[in-house]
Coordinates of all heavy atoms in Angstrom, one line a residue:
F1 N 0.8 -1.2 0.0 CA 0.0 0.0 0.0 C 0.9 1.3 0.0 O 0.5 2.2 -0.7 CB -1.0 0.0 1.2 CG -2.0 1.0 1.1 CD1 -3.2 0.8 0.4 CD2 -1.9 2.3 1.7 CE1 -4.2 1.7 0.2 CE2 -2.9 3.2 1.6 CZ -4.0 2.9 0.8
G2 N 2.0 1.3 0.7 CA 2.9 2.4 0.7 C 3.4 2.6 -0.7 O 3.6 3.8 -1.1
F3 N 3.8 1.5 -1.4 CA 4.3 1.6 -2.7 C 3.2 2.3 -3.6 O 3.5 3.2 -4.4 CB 4.7 0.2 -3.2 CG 4.9 0.2 -4.7 CD1 6.1 0.6 -5.2 CD2 4.0 -0.4 -5.6 CE1 6.4 0.5 -6.6 CE2 4.2 -0.5 -6.9 CZ 5.4 -0.1 -7.4
M4 N 2.0 1.8 -3.5 CA 0.9 2.3 -4.3 C 0.6 3.8 -4.0 O 0.3 4.6 -4.9 CB -0.4 1.5 -4.0 CG -0.4 0.1 -4.5 SD -1.9 -0.8 -4.2 CE -3.0 -0.1 -5.5
A5 N 0.8 4.2 -2.8 CA 0.7 5.7 -2.5 C 1.7 6.5 -3.2 O 1.4 7.6 -3.7 CB 0.8 5.9 -0.9
R6 N 3.0 6.0 -3.2 CA 4.0 6.7 -3.9 C 3.7 6.8 -5.4 O 3.9 7.8 -6.1 CB 5.4 6.1 -3.7 CG 5.9 6.3 -2.2 CD 7.3 5.8 -2.0 NE 7.5 4.4 -2.2 CZ 7.2 3.4 -1.3 NH1 6.7 3.7 -0.2 NH2 7.4 2.1 -1.6
V7 N 3.3 5.7 -6.0 CA 2.9 5.6 -7.4 C 1.8 6.6 -7.7 O 1.8 7.3 -8.7 CB 2.5 4.2 -7.9 CG1 2.0 4.2 -9.3 CG2 3.8 3.3 -7.8
A8 N 0.8 6.6 -6.8 CA -0.4 7.5 -7.0 C 0.0 8.9 -7.0 O -0.5 9.7 -7.9 CB -1.4 7.3 -5.9
L9 N 0.9 9.3 -6.2 CA 1.4 10.7 -6.2 C 2.2 11.1 -7.5 O 2.0 12.2 -8.0 CB 2.3 11.0 -4.9 CG 1.5 11.0 -3.6 CD1 2.5 11.1 -2.4 CD2 0.5 12.1 -3.5
A10 N 3.0 10.2 -7.9 CA 3.7 10.4 -9.2 C 2.8 10.5 -10.4 O 2.9 11.3 -11.2 CB 4.8 9.3 -9.4
A11 N 1.8 9.5 -10.4 CA 0.8 9.5 -11.5 C 0.0 10.8 -11.5 O -0.2 11.3 -12.6 CB -0.1 8.3 -11.3
E12 N -0.4 11.2 -10.3 CA -1.2 12.4 -10.3 C -0.4 13.6 -10.7 O -1.0 14.5 -11.5 CB -1.8 12.6 -8.8 CG -2.7 13.8 -8.7 CD -4.0 13.6 -9.5 OE1 -4.4 12.4 -9.9 OE2 -4.8 14.6 -9.6
A13 N 0.8 13.7 -10.4 CA 1.7 14.8 -10.8 C 1.8 14.9 -12.3 O 1.9 15.9 -12.9 CB 3.0 14.7 -10.1
M14 N 1.9 13.7 -12.9 CA 2.0 13.6 -14.4 C 0.6 13.7 -15.1 O 0.6 14.0 -16.3 CB 2.6 12.2 -14.8 CG 4.0 12.0 -14.5 SD 4.6 10.4 -15.0 CE 4.4 10.5 -16.8
G15 N -0.5 13.5 -14.3 CA -1.8 13.5 -15.0 C -1.9 12.3 -15.8 O -2.6 12.3 -16.9
H16 N -1.3 11.2 -15.4 CA -1.3 9.9 -16.2 C -1.4 8.8 -15.2 O -0.5 8.6 -14.4 CB 0.0 9.8 -17.0 CG -0.1 8.7 -18.0 ND1 -1.0 8.6 -19.0 CD2 0.7 7.6 -18.0 CE1 -0.7 7.5 -19.7 NE2 0.3 6.8 -19.1
H17 N -2.5 8.1 -15.2 CA -2.8 7.1 -14.2 C -2.8 5.7 -14.6 O -3.3 5.4 -15.7 CB -4.2 7.5 -13.6 CG -4.3 8.9 -13.2 ND1 -4.7 9.9 -14.0 CD2 -3.9 9.5 -12.0 CE1 -4.6 11.1 -13.3 NE2 -4.1 10.8 -12.1
P18 N -2.3 4.8 -13.8 CA -2.2 3.4 -14.1 C -3.5 2.6 -14.0 O -4.4 3.0 -13.3 CB -1.2 2.8 -13.1 CG -1.5 3.7 -11.9 CD -1.8 5.0 -12.4
E19 N -3.6 1.5 -14.7 CA -4.6 0.5 -14.5 C -3.9 -0.5 -13.5 O -2.8 -0.9 -13.8 CB -4.9 -0.3 -15.7 CG -5.6 0.6 -16.8 CD -5.8 -0.2 -18.1 OE1 -5.6 -1.4 -18.2 OE2 -6.3 0.5 -19.1
W20 N -4.4 -0.7 -12.3 CA -3.7 -1.5 -11.4 C -4.7 -2.2 -10.4 O -5.8 -2.0 -10.4 CB -2.7 -0.7 -10.6 CG -3.2 0.5 -9.8 CD1 -4.5 1.0 -9.7 CD2 -2.4 1.4 -9.0 NE1 -4.5 2.1 -8.9 CE2 -3.3 2.3 -8.4 CE3 -1.1 1.4 -8.7 CZ2 -2.8 3.4 -7.6 CZ3 -0.6 2.4 -7.9 CH2 -1.5 3.4 -7.4
S21 N -4.1 -3.2 -9.8 CA -4.8 -4.0 -8.8 C -3.9 -4.4 -7.6 O -2.6 -4.4 -7.8 CB -5.4 -5.3 -9.4 OG -4.4 -6.2 -9.8
N22 N -4.5 -4.6 -6.5 CA -3.7 -5.0 -5.3 C -4.4 -6.1 -4.6 O -5.6 -6.0 -4.4 CB -3.5 -3.8 -4.4 CG -3.1 -4.2 -3.0 OD1 -3.8 -4.0 -2.0 ND2 -1.9 -4.8 -2.9
V23 N -3.7 -7.2 -4.4 CA -4.2 -8.3 -3.5 C -3.1 -8.6 -2.5 O -2.0 -9.0 -2.8 CB -4.5 -9.6 -4.3 CG1 -4.9 -10.7 -3.4 CG2 -5.5 -9.3 -5.4
W24 N -3.4 -8.2 -1.3 CA -2.5 -8.3 -0.1 C -1.1 -7.7 -0.4 O -1.0 -6.5 -0.4 CB -2.5 -9.7 0.5 CG -1.8 -9.7 1.8 CD1 -2.3 -9.1 2.9 CD2 -0.6 -10.4 2.2 NE1 -1.4 -9.3 4.0 CE2 -0.4 -10.1 3.6 CE3 0.3 -11.1 1.5 CZ2 0.7 -10.6 4.2 CZ3 1.4 -11.6 2.2 CH2 1.6 -11.3 3.6
S25 N -0.1 -8.6 -0.7 CA 1.2 -8.1 -0.9 C 1.6 -7.9 -2.4 O 2.8 -7.7 -2.7 CB 2.2 -9.0 -0.2 OG 2.2 -10.3 -0.8
T26 N 0.7 -8.1 -3.3 CA 1.0 -8.0 -4.7 C 0.3 -6.9 -5.4 O -0.9 -6.7 -5.2 CB 0.6 -9.4 -5.4 OG1 1.3 -10.4 -4.8 CG2 0.9 -9.3 -6.9
V27 N 1.1 -6.1 -6.1 CA 0.5 -5.0 -6.9 C 0.8 -5.3 -8.4 O 1.9 -5.6 -8.8 CB 1.1 -3.6 -6.5 CG1 0.6 -2.5 -7.4 CG2 0.9 -3.4 -5.0
V28 N -0.2 -5.3 -9.2 CA -0.1 -5.5 -10.7 C -0.4 -4.1 -11.4 O -1.5 -3.5 -11.1 CB -1.0 -6.6 -11.2 CG1 -0.9 -6.7 -12.7 CG2 -0.7 -7.9 -10.5
I29 N 0.5 -3.7 -12.2 CA 0.3 -2.4 -12.9 C 0.3 -2.7 -14.4 O 1.2 -3.3 -14.9 CB 1.4 -1.4 -12.5 CG1 1.3 -1.1 -11.0 CG2 1.3 -0.1 -13.4 CD1 2.4 -0.1 -10.5
D30 N -0.6 -2.1 -15.1 CA -0.6 -2.0 -16.6 C -0.7 -0.6 -17.0 O -1.5 0.2 -16.4 CB -1.8 -2.8 -17.1 CG -1.7 -4.3 -17.0 OD1 -0.7 -4.8 -17.5 OD2 -2.5 -4.9 -16.3
L31 N 0.1 -0.2 -17.9 CA 0.1 1.2 -18.4 C -0.2 1.2 -19.9 O 0.3 0.4 -20.7 CB 1.5 1.8 -18.2 CG 2.0 1.9 -16.7 CD1 3.5 2.4 -16.7 CD2 1.1 2.7 -15.9
T32 N -1.1 2.1 -20.2 CA -1.4 2.4 -21.6 C -2.0 3.8 -21.7 O -2.3 4.4 -20.6 CB -2.5 1.4 -22.2 OG1 -2.6 1.6 -23.6 CG2 -3.8 1.5 -21.5
T33 N -2.0 4.4 -22.8 CA -2.5 5.8 -23.0 C -3.8 5.7 -23.9 O -3.7 5.5 -25.1 CB -1.4 6.7 -23.6 OG1 -0.3 6.7 -22.8 CG2 -1.9 8.1 -23.7
H34 N -4.9 5.8 -23.2 CA -6.2 5.7 -24.0 C -6.3 6.8 -25.0 O -6.9 6.5 -26.1 CB -7.3 5.7 -23.0 CG -7.3 4.6 -22.0 ND1 -7.6 3.3 -22.3 CD2 -6.9 4.6 -20.7 CE1 -7.5 2.5 -21.3 NE2 -7.0 3.3 -20.3
D35 N -5.8 8.0 -24.8 CA -5.9 9.1 -25.8 C -5.2 8.8 -27.1 O -5.5 9.3 -28.1 CB -5.3 10.4 -25.2 CG -6.2 11.0 -24.1 OD1 -7.4 10.5 -23.9 OD2 -5.7 11.8 -23.3
T36 N -4.1 8.0 -27.0 CA -3.3 7.6 -28.2 C -3.7 6.3 -28.7 O -3.2 5.9 -29.8 CB -1.8 7.7 -28.0 OG1 -1.4 6.7 -27.0 CG2 -1.4 9.1 -27.5
G37 N -4.5 5.5 -28.0 CA -4.9 4.2 -28.4 C -3.7 3.1 -28.3 O -3.8 2.1 -29.0
G38 N -2.8 3.4 -27.4 CA -1.7 2.4 -27.2 C -0.7 3.0 -26.3 O -1.0 3.9 -25.4
L39 N 0.5 2.6 -26.4 CA 1.6 3.0 -25.6 C 2.2 4.4 -26.0 O 2.3 4.6 -27.2 CB 2.7 2.0 -25.5 CG 2.4 0.7 -24.8 CD1 3.4 -0.4 -25.1 CD2 2.1 0.9 -23.3
S40 N 2.5 5.2 -25.0 CA 3.1 6.5 -25.3 C 4.3 6.8 -24.4 O 4.6 6.0 -23.5 CB 2.0 7.6 -25.1 OG 1.9 7.9 -23.7
N41 N 4.9 7.9 -24.7 CA 6.0 8.4 -23.9 C 5.6 8.6 -22.4 O 6.4 8.4 -21.5 CB 6.5 9.8 -24.4 CG 5.4 10.9 -24.4 OD1 4.3 10.6 -24.8 ND2 5.8 12.0 -24.0
L42 N 4.3 8.8 -22.1 CA 3.9 8.9 -20.7 C 3.9 7.6 -20.0 O 4.3 7.5 -18.8 CB 2.4 9.5 -20.7 CG 2.3 10.9 -21.2 CD1 0.8 11.3 -21.1 CD2 3.2 11.9 -20.5
D43 N 3.6 6.5 -20.7 CA 3.7 5.2 -20.1 C 5.2 4.9 -19.8 O 5.5 4.4 -18.7 CB 3.1 4.1 -21.0 CG 1.7 4.4 -21.4 OD1 0.9 4.6 -20.4 OD2 1.4 4.5 -22.6
K44 N 6.1 5.1 -20.7 CA 7.5 4.9 -20.5 C 8.0 5.7 -19.3 O 8.7 5.2 -18.4 CB 8.3 5.2 -21.7 CG 9.7 4.8 -21.6 CD 10.5 5.0 -22.9 CE 12.0 4.6 -22.7 NZ 12.7 4.8 -23.9
E45 N 7.6 7.0 -19.3 CA 8.1 7.9 -18.2 C 7.5 7.4 -16.8 O 8.3 7.4 -15.8 CB 7.6 9.3 -18.5 CG 7.8 10.3 -17.3 CD 9.3 10.6 -17.1 OE1 10.1 10.5 -18.0 OE2 9.6 11.1 -16.0
L46 N 6.2 7.1 -16.8 CA 5.7 6.6 -15.5 C 6.3 5.3 -15.0 O 6.6 5.2 -13.9 CB 4.1 6.5 -15.6 CG 3.4 6.1 -14.3 CD1 3.8 7.1 -13.1 CD2 1.9 6.1 -14.5
A47 N 6.5 4.4 -16.0 CA 7.2 3.1 -15.6 C 8.5 3.4 -15.0 O 8.9 2.7 -14.0 CB 7.2 2.2 -16.8

């Protein structure tokens, strides 16, 4: 959850938000840019 909080702050600062899930100690993140219909520089930067 602490990791997710750090990611959330970075994502909000970029205005680019992940698709993600959390189950206990596992966080799964998928990044894509819906506005471009695929991967963009924002996904690479956020990763």
Side-chain angles (χ1 to χ4, degrees):
F1 194 83
F3 170 77
M4 291 180 76
R6 290 187 299 278
V7 171
L9 293 172
E12 186 66 15
M14 288 180 64
H16 188 63
H17 305 92
E19 296 176 4
W20 58 359
S21 65
N22 165 244
V23 177
W24 193 61
S25 64
T26 302
V27 176
V28 177
I29 298 178
D30 289 300
L31 301 173
T32 188
T33 304
H34 299 284
D35 291 345
T36 65
L39 292 169
S40 78
N41 60 316
L42 296 179
D43 301 307
K44 185 176 179 180
E45 173 70 22
L46 183 54

